[in-house]
Amino acid sequence: MLRRGEEINGVTFMTAKKVSKITVTHEKRVRRVLEEESITFDDADADDLLTSHNDALVISLLVHDTNVKQVLIDPGSSMNIILLRVVNEMQAEDKLIPKAHTLSGFDNSSVVIKGEIVLTTFVEGVVKDTKFQVVEMDMAYNMILGRPWIHEMDVVPSTLHQVIKFPSQWGIWQIRGDQQVSRSINSVADSSAKNEEK
């Protein structure tokens, strides 16, 4: 049972009438010159959203000087994944290091990766070299950013509020998810599943 102001693993949970607030505090770290800052989500973050949603958090992101759309933010993924087609469109094939590892999904399905690649991600002035596993398959998303990127960036995602927030040397920055894109991806996936059932 969570009570007002209870802290669990550095996350403070507060409850009140129909209002939810989550605060995450980043203490001063050696690798970052920041005073203590808090990342907060409240009802104002959800003002422009289509309510009563169950949408995935999908953003656009500048990667290797290319604006990549349909990027899934997935705290459930232990790896960052990019499609081979997207690497080819970026003309970054020369950066690909061939490797043949098997990735397994939660349903025990598996895919053999084509290799690994390190690409630079640009997020509101924060630049990071990010390692991706390269796959060649049909996937609704062009890229999946999992825990390695989320943790390296100190990103705090909220699917409820459809936003990611993270600290930078200029303060707390945010990127809003694209709810319409998320819904169009899910509607295509839903209609495909229904066709397979028939």
Side-chain angles (χ1 to χ4, degrees), residues 6-122:
E6 187 167 344
E7 184 175 315
I8 299 172
N9 293 333
V11 178
T12 303
F13 293 87
M14 316 250 325
T15 58
K17 286 184 185 176
K18 291 191 175 187
V19 174
S20 62
K21 182 177 180 181
I22 301 171
T23 302
V24 179
T25 302
H26 293 272
E27 296 176 8
K28 189 174 181 180
R29 298 181 183 183
V30 175
R31 67 182 179 156
R32 196 182 297 271
V33 183
L34 283 177
E35 296 300 318
E36 187 174 299
E37 299 227 29
S38 293
I39 293 178
T40 303
F41 298 93
D42 57 28
D43 290 345
D45 288 309
D47 279 348
D48 296 330
L49 295 180
L50 304 171
T51 56
S52 300
H53 72 86
N54 192 22
D55 301 322
L57 183 48
V58 179
I59 65 170
S60 294
L61 188 67
L62 189 61
V63 180
H64 191 68
D65 294 327
T66 304
N67 186 27
V68 180
K69 297 181 180 185
Q70 294 179 268
V71 177
L72 175 66
I73 303 299
D74 184 8
S77 179
S78 62
M79 297 185 176
N80 302 313
I81 298 170
I82 189 169
L83 293 177
L84 179 60
R85 172 184 52 76
V86 176
V87 171
N88 292 336
E89 288 171 6
M90 292 177 174
Q91 298 179 350
E93 310 86 8
D94 59 324
K95 295 178 172 281
L96 180 64
I97 300 166
K99 291 191 177 180
H101 295 201
T102 302
L103 300 180
S104 297
F106 68 91
D107 61 351
N108 287 330
S109 63
S110 60
V111 62
V112 177
I113 68 168
K114 294 292 183 184
E116 295 177 345
I117 192 167
V118 175
L119 298 170
T120 304
T121 59
F122 303 88

